[in-house]
Amino acid sequence: MRSAVTRLLVGGFPAPEDVAPGERVVVNAWVVRHPEATLLVDTGIGEHLPPEDLRAMRFLRTPITDALANVGLVPDDIDLVINCHLHADHAGGNVHFRGTPILVQPAELAAAREPDYTVHEDIDLDGGQYDEREGEHEPLPGIRVIPTPGHSPGHQSVAVETDGGGLILAGQAFRDASAFARALTAYRLSQDGYPDPPPCPEWMPRMLELDPYRVAFGHDLAVWQPDA
C-alpha cells in the first residue's frame, strides 16, 4: 500500500565545528499518511533538556504539537510512532503520545534506560506505550522498519512505499545526504574489488536492496536520489 509523506521541520542547532563550521543542523520528523493509519516518524526536541545543554547546543525548537498543527493534525490523530532512536532530539516529544504505540528496537530501549543517554521526562520511558520489535519487520503493508545500528545501538530506519517509489527515512543512520553518498561509494568500491575500500555499514546492502528512489535524513534538508 502506498503512503504520502510530509516532512516536519522541528528544530535545529549549530553544526559541530569539525563537521560544518558556521552551519546549522536541522532536525526533521515525518508524517506518513498510510491508507490504514497515520504514522509519525520521530517527535523532535523535548521540553526538558538541561539548561547547560540548551546553552551549549543553542537549540532552536518547534514543539511537535505545533509542527503537527501546521499540517492540520493533533497528537490524537497519530496512530503509531516510530523513533529512529531515543536521543533527546529525535524522541523528545514522545510524552505527547501517551497511549499511542511507539515502535522501538529492544537494544535502543535498553540503552535509553541507562544514565545520561536521553531525557527520560520527554522520552516518557515510564508512561509511554513502547512496542519492542527486534530486527526487520513490517508494521503495516508498505511500511518496513530496518535495523540500522551504529549511531545508536538500536537505530532503525523506515522504508515507505509512495507513489514516487520507495522512500527511506534514514534518521541518523547517516548525518546527511553526503555521508550516505560516501558510504554508497565505499560499498560500490568493495563490490568492484577495490583493494582496502573505505568501511561502510554492514546493513548497507539491505538498504540498497530496497531500491529507494529517495533517502531522507534526520539532520539534513537535502535528500539522496540515484543518478539519472
Side-chain angles (χ1 to χ4, degrees), residues 125-141:
L125 288 176
D126 295 327
Q129 188 178 326
Y130 283 96
D131 183 352
E132 298 181 68
R133 300 194 194 181
E134 187 167 8
E136 184 171 327
H137 58 94
E138 193 175 36
L140 289 165

Side-chain angles (χ1 to χ4, degrees), residues 38-129:
T38 300
L39 289 69
L40 181 63
V41 178
D42 284 352
T43 62
I45 301 168
E47 303 171 11
H48 297 99
L49 283 170
E52 59 272 18
D53 288 353
L54 288 173
R55 287 192 298 269
M57 295 296 292
R58 290 183 286 159
F59 276 111
L60 296 177
R61 172 180 169 269
T62 297
I64 192 62
T65 50
D66 292 353
L68 287 173
N70 288 338
V71 295
L73 297 172
V74 297
D76 284 349
D77 293 323
I78 303 301
D79 301 300
L80 180 67
V81 173
I82 305 175
N83 292 129
C84 68
H85 65 298
L86 295 179
H87 285 165
D89 55 336
H90 292 266
N94 283 9
V95 69
H96 295 291
F97 301 93
R98 187 166 289 182
T100 301
I102 302 173
L103 293 185
V104 65
Q105 298 283 327
E108 187 66 19
L109 192 58
R113 296 194 186 281
E114 295 297 321
D116 302 321
Y117 186 87
T118 191
V119 180
H120 287 200
E121 299 96 322
D122 292 328
I123 306 306
D124 201 24
L125 288 176
D126 295 327
Q129 188 178 326

Side-chain angles (χ1 to χ4, degrees), residues 28 170-171 173-185 204 214-225:
N28 295 318
F174 301 95
R175 175 176 286 278
D176 50 33
S178 294
F180 178 85
R182 289 192 295 271
L184 177 58
T185 298
M204 190 75 172
R214 286 183 178 174
V215 183
F217 308 92
H219 290 306
D220 198 357
L221 294 178
V223 299
W224 176 89
Q225 54 189 22

